[in-house]
């Protein structure tokens, strides 16, 4: 309203993108002063305000940076400025002699200087209300003055979070504070470009903030000549509803308010105001229409009005299930079956481990698939997918409309490919209850998924210390009959457990009678002994045949596939000439001494010649990898994990036991690809702990500033991850088919889940 009545004008947010903390202030100043110069050339008598968060900081900015711009007569005003100088400086600002003023916040209440139209934010505000107050000062209108500009570092995640709070608090900020960012995250750009194509009149609805559930019904539509989106008004009340049209992208959005009575009373005047949502997308080139609607009946009427009904045919039944194609390690949570004959049971639902029975039932002539829902991997991480023979496809995601549009195109690529019919269930995982441990070799054990993918703080408490869950790890140990032993490592502390399966039951036991059992504290609940936690949340044990065990539930891949590791991914080094003891893994002893004949030390020595920005030694329990490297390639941040493992014998050979543990470590680490920023936080924390413990930093190449710059760049650049298994105990000329199968299984896992390639460095 203030904008409409000309009390306020829009403010342009102009970003710089600087990741080096030592250069941020200089770059903000350069940009802000250049804007000031351009405004003055345009005959706008604007003044630049430089904002700092305390007096000492303001003084540093004045003395080290802004005092250089003498022709603009910069002044510093703080609470320590004498009354005489304060009045003198204020007069200089008001009469235009001083064009730059450095201060803390806005140098006091009651100051009215409309010419303050450029702000250089060197420090973020502590709270949203203060931010609003500050912006309001710059937005006030006055004749002969241009729009205000705010300059800040977009690589400062804290400042961007403040902006995010503004936009989420009230959609009117889109009018008041348009972002004029020179560079931004790609998905934000895609959303902005899509939204800019909609015809938007005066409305309180901000299309950028739409977050519908990701689902669709799809129709074939090959009549490329007919599309009348304005006909939405024929099936909705245009005085109550709002419609938005993007002609270029062939998209229509309709928002419909409606009132509903309460179920707990028959009184008609007790009502709730609700909203229906409809978004329609027509892919002209490939001939299909997708709709996401909260009211299917009205959604169908909408389609009939804006398209030629004769050419509109919904895709249903068996082709819908093609959306499950090419999903790796697919695990179905539910299967619904319809009976093909008229009988007392018309519908069956299978959930949990019963899904395998449901698959068998679906092959029979008296039933057919009704709906499926499951989770799996698409090469970019974990996904969820559901579909119904009636024609609906959905996911658990809640996303922007640009994400939804891309999702529709990706799903339809699979549905339109008739070759996908035979491959829908190729990668299906089938869980069954087992009464014994698998005969295959266990090579990896992980905490349950709720811990692996958790973002909340989880700790393990021992008698001597409290450990973050990320600093602890589980390792497979020996197997006795129907008991699988494994170890918990917390720093240098080791605790022994076992899983025992008897009949249809399983039990976890703590084996160290001379120690107090560790306890786990999750989501601020009371700590419980780890063995009791395992009983309710079994860790996942992986086997060399691609199966895995959780308690007594064994999940087996529904395919007989053996992948041999590609010989092109085998790298051989002459470790003997390097003077390496292949039975010594770590480069630093517990006392902090460097072990120069270790595997890790010599691997790092080789890597130093490859010009990485950062080489990080993360060796220890809870490690990401023994060695982590970073390199800015320009378009992306290249990250490499090197998992080192000592040999089980003095000379290289063909021992498959040399591969089990290190392959498990490689698989465990792959999920960090999507959490690179959090991973660097973790690395920095582990570096600080080692320095406190023995004075030795984990950063071998680069420094903490370089690592901080890499982390900030990951706000805007994608990460490309590669994994290297380093095992000099393997002789490349003697690798057996069995060893290639184990390596192939690890390579498959990393590629199928996160598209991460794996190589081995051996002898």
């Amino acid at each position: 309203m203030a904008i409409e009545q000309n009390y306020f004008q829009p403010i342009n947010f102009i970003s710089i993108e600087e990741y080096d903390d030592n250069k941020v202030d200089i770059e903000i100043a350069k940009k802000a002063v250049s804007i000031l110069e351009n405004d003055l050339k345009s005959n706008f008598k604007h003044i630049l305000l430089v904002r700092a968060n305390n007096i000492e900081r303001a003084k540093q900015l004045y003395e080290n940076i802004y005092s250089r711009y003498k022709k603009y007569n910069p002044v510093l005003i703080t609470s320590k400025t004498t009354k005489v100088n304060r009045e003198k400086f204020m007069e200089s600002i008001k009469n235009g002699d001083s064009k730059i003023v450095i201060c803390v916040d806005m140098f006091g209440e009651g100051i009215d200087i409309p010419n303050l139209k450029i702000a250089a934010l060197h420090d973020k505000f502590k709270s949203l209300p203060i931010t609003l107050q500050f912006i309001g000062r710059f937005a006030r209108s006055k004749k002969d003055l241009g729009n205000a500009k705010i300059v800040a570092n977009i690589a400062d995640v804290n400042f961007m979070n403040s902006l995010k709070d503004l936009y989420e608090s009230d959609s009117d900020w889109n009018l008041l504070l348009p972002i004029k960012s020179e560079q931004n995250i790609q998905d934000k750009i895609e959303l902005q470009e899509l939204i800019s194509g909609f015809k938007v009149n005066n409305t309180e609805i901000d299309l950028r903030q739409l977050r519908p559930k990701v689902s669709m019904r799809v129709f074939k539509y090959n009549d490329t000549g007919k599309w009348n989106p304005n006909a939405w008004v024929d099936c909705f009340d245009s005085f109550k509803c709002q419609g938005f049209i993007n002609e270029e992208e062939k998209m229509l959005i309709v928002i419909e308010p409606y009132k509903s009575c309460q179920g707990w009373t028959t009184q008609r005047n007790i009502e709730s105001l609700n909203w229906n949502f409809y978004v329609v997308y027509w892919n002209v080139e490939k001939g299909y229409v997708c709709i996401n609607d909260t009211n299917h009946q009205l959604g169908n009427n909408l389609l009939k009005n804006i398209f030629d009904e004769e050419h509109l045919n919904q895709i249903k039944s068996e082709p819908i299930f093609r959306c499950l194609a090419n999903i790796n390690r697919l695990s179905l949570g539910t299967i619904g079956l319809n009976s093909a004959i008229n009988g007392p049971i018309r519908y069956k639902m299978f959930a949990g481990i019963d899904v395998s029975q449901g698959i068998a039932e679906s092959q029979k002539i008296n039933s057919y698939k009704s709906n499926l829902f499951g989770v799996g991997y698409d090469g970019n991480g974990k996904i969820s997918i559901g579909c119904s023979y009636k024609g609906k496809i959905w996911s658990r995601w809640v996303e922007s409309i640009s994400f939804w549009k891309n999702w529709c195109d990706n799903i339809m690529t699979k549905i339109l490919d008739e070759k996908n019919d035979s491959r829908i269930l190729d990668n299906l995982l089938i869980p069954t209850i087992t009464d014994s441990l698998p005969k295959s070799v266990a090579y990896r054990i992980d905490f349950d998924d709720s811990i692996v993918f958790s973002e909340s703080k989880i700790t393990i408490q021992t008698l001597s210390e409290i450990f973050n869950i990320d600093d602890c790890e589980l390792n497979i140990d020996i197997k006795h009959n129907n008991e699988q032993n494994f170890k918990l490592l917390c720093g240098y502390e080791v605790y022994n457990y076992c899983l025992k399966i008897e009949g249809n039951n399983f039990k976890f036991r703590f084996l160290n009678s001379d120690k107090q059992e560790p306890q786990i504290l999750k989501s601020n609940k009371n700590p419980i002994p780890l063995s009791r936690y395992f009983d309710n949340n079994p860790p996942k044990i992986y086997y060399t045949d691609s199966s895995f065990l959780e308690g007594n539930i064994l999940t087996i891949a529904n395919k007989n596939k053996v992948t041999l590791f590609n010989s092109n991914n085998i790298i051989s080094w002459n470790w003997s000439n390097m003077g390496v003891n292949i039975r010594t893994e770590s480069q630093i002893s517990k006392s902090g001494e460097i072990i120069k004949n270790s595997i890790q030390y010599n691997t790092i020595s080789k890597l130093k010649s490859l010009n990485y920005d950062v080489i990080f030694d993360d060796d220890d329990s809870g490690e990401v990898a023994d060695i982590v490297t970073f390199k800015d390639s320009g378009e992306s941040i290249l990250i490499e994990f090197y998992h080192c493992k000592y040999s089980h014998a003095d000379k290289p050979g063909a021992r498959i036991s040399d591969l089990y543990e290190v392959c498990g470590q490689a698989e465990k680490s792959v999920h960090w690809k999507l959490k690179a920023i959090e991973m660097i936080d973790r690395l920095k924390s582990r570096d600080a702990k080692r320095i406190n413990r023995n004075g030795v930093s984990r950063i071998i190449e680069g420094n903490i500033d370089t690592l901080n710059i890499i982390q900030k760049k990951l706000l805007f650049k994608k990460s490309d991850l590669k994994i290297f298994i380093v095992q000099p105990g393997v002789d490349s000329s003697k690798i057996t088919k069995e060893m290639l199968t184990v390596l192939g299984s690890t390579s498959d896992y990393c590629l199928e889940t996160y598209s991460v390639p794996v190589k081995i460095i051996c002898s």
Side-chain angles (χ1 to χ4, degrees), residues 731-735 763:
D731 187 332
S732 61
S733 65
K734 298 179 180 179
I735 295 181
S763 290

Side-chain angles (χ1 to χ4, degrees), residues 740-752:
L740 290 175
T741 301
V742 172
L743 288 167
S745 176
T746 294
S747 178
D748 275 357
Y749 180 87
C750 295
L751 284 171
E752 290 176 354

Side-chain angles (χ1 to χ4, degrees), residues 59-76:
K59 185 178 179 182
Q60 290 174 355
L61 290 171
Y62 173 74
E63 293 177 349
N64 299 334
I65 298 178
Y66 287 95
S67 60
R68 304 171 189 172
Y69 301 101
K70 297 185 183 301
K71 68 175 182 177
Y72 298 118
N73 192 22
V75 295
L76 171 66

